[in-house]
Amino acid sequence: MDRIPILKLRDLLLVTIQVDMHDRLAMQLQDELTTRISETGARGVLIDISSLDIVDSFIGRMIANIAAMARVLDAQTVVVGMQPAVAITLVELGLTLPGVRTALNVDKGMMLLESGDGRAPTEMERDADGTH
Amino acid sequence: MDRIPILKLRDLLLVTIQVDMHDRLAMQLQDELTTRISETGARGVLIDISSLDIVDSFIGRMIANIAAMARVLDAQTVVVGMQPAVAITLVELGLTLPGVRTALNVDKGMMLLESGDGRAPTEMERDADGTH
């Protein structure tokens, strides 16, 4: 059952992370997600981490990688549902989620992606990355 | 991390089952889901089982229970993302999901719930159950 489902919600993809991530699972998720983005032409990816009590550097790097891959495929990434304690720990550990927007919950994340607000700063980042 | 997140999508709730269910987790999910339905006034519950390779009688009963509880709270339940092999096994084992609609994927499940098509037969079932 070690497979993280990727759900299509209109032109967005939703990933809910519930299980302990490990290297193979993270690789598999990245593979499947990029395939699904190109298949469906999704404009946004929502990553729900409301089940996670801890976001360590491994998870942080995975999310940043997914966001970078999605951006190259012209999709924006929004992390939703972060627990307050996780936000505190992230800041205390000095971890950042580069290139990733956050929203309080899935509804707000969808609104952010649909309004296009998720796009503007990322365009600038894209220029800065030189991928555009 | 043993907690199944319940995501709110407008007036629907989405539950993605990824982990092995056991008694305590199933009870906890039922508790949280009924609380969320009454808090949010959600009209529908989508249960995504695309990660499940097996739906046994325990999972089947849990889904049927959730559907029954949701129905009493005036919300319809749709199971989405069932793998073909799971459908075959369900029929071969003679298991049914009483009172539960199914849809191929989340998009179609949302359409089913939003169109109101998910309601008509359930009204009749509700009359038959005597809860209405």
Side-chain angles (χ1 to χ4, degrees):
Chain A
M1 211 189 282
D2 253 11
R3 198 176 136 264
I4 296 181
I6 299 167
L7 306 179
K8 184 172 164 296
L9 301 173
R10 302 207 176 90
D11 59 345
L12 305 178
L13 297 178
L14 172 66
V15 179
T16 313
I17 297 178
Q18 292 177 27
V19 293
D20 284 317
M21 294 302 287
H22 47 78
D23 273 340
R24 199 180 52 73
L25 193 59
M27 293 289 283
Q28 190 185 334
L29 177 62
Q30 290 172 4
D31 275 2
E32 289 185 9
L33 195 58
T34 45
T35 309
R36 287 294 295 274
I37 292 172
S38 87
E39 273 174 10
T40 61
R43 303 307 303 262
V45 176
L46 290 163
I47 302 179
D48 173 74
I49 59 167
S50 57
S51 287
L52 300 187
D53 295 322
I54 292 170
V55 170
D56 55 13
S57 59
F58 174 68
I59 301 266
R61 200 165 51 242
M62 185 198 70
I63 291 174
N65 281 350
I66 285 176
M69 291 169 193
R71 195 157 54 243
V72 180
L73 295 169
D74 197 26
Q76 307 304 313
T77 303
V78 176
V79 168
V80 299
M82 189 184 289
Q83 290 181 25
V86 170
I88 294 170
T89 315
L90 271 184
V91 171
E92 281 178 354
L93 291 179
L95 289 176
T96 54
L97 298 175
V100 180
R101 295 291 194 114
T102 50
L104 204 56
N105 53 42
V106 176
D107 269 351
K108 290 189 175 156
M110 286 173 83
M111 272 190 284
L112 182 68
L113 285 169
E114 283 165 4
S115 71
D117 282 358
R119 305 193 64 79
T122 324
E123 301 264 308
M124 294 191 305
E125 287 168 20
R126 201 186 296 173
D127 289 344
D129 290 351
T131 56
H132 194 63
Chain B
M1 211 189 282
D2 252 9
R3 198 177 135 264
I4 296 180
I6 298 167
L7 307 179
K8 186 173 163 296
L9 301 173
R10 304 208 174 89
D11 58 346
L12 306 178
L13 297 178
L14 172 66
V15 179
T16 313
I17 298 178
Q18 291 177 25
V19 295
D20 284 316
M21 295 301 288
H22 47 77
D23 272 340
R24 201 180 51 71
L25 192 59
M27 293 288 285
Q28 190 185 334
L29 177 61
Q30 289 171 5
D31 275 1
E32 288 185 10
L33 194 58
T34 45
T35 309
R36 287 293 296 276
I37 292 172
S38 87
E39 273 174 11
T40 60
R43 304 307 304 263
V45 176
L46 289 164
I47 303 178
D48 173 75
I49 58 167
S50 56
S51 287
L52 300 188
D53 295 322
I54 291 171
V55 171
D56 56 11
S57 59
F58 175 69
I59 302 264
R61 201 164 49 243
M62 186 199 70
I63 291 174
N65 281 349
I66 286 176
M69 292 169 191
R71 194 157 56 240
V72 180
L73 295 168
D74 198 25
Q76 307 305 313
T77 302
V78 175
V79 168
V80 300
M82 188 184 291
Q83 291 181 23
V86 170
I88 293 170
T89 315
L90 271 184
V91 172
E92 281 178 352
L93 291 178
L95 289 175
T96 54
L97 298 174
V100 180
R101 295 291 195 116
T102 50
L104 203 58
N105 53 41
V106 176
D107 269 350
K108 290 191 175 156
M110 287 174 83
M111 272 191 281
L112 182 68
L113 286 168
E114 282 166 4
S115 71
D117 283 356
R119 305 193 66 76
T122 325
E123 300 264 308
M124 294 193 303
E125 285 167 21
R126 201 187 295 172
D127 289 344
D129 289 353
T131 56
H132 194 63

